[in-house]
Amino acid sequence: MYIDEKDPGHFIFIEEWPDRPALDKHYALDYFQRLVPMINQHKKSEPKFILMDTTVS
């Protein structure tokens, strides 16, 4: 997690997952489903998700 020094309420999370099914499984976990609404209570704006494929051939 990173905090934008010019915008203290702006947080950046960088995560690495082996594949999309693993990420989807993470999203479905009970603790994650409970955590997101708690985090969202403090959001300044709608989140932006950027999914990047880092597969190297």
Side-chain angles (χ1 to χ4, degrees), residues 27 29-43 47:
Y27 286 157
L29 292 174
D30 183 56
Y31 86 90
F32 188 82
Q33 294 295 317
R34 287 182 283 123
L35 179 63
V36 170
M38 288 188 275
I39 292 172
N40 284 344
Q41 291 176 10
H42 304 284
K43 69 182 178 182

Side-chain angles (χ1 to χ4, degrees), residues 6 9 17 19-20 24-26 28 30-31 36-37 43 50 52-53 56:
K6 295 178 183 174
W17 296 92
D19 53 30
R20 184 58 194 241
D24 291 341
K25 184 177 178 179
H26 171 69
D30 183 56
Y31 86 90
V36 170
K43 69 182 178 182
I50 302 171
M52 300 165 56
D53 182 2
V56 177

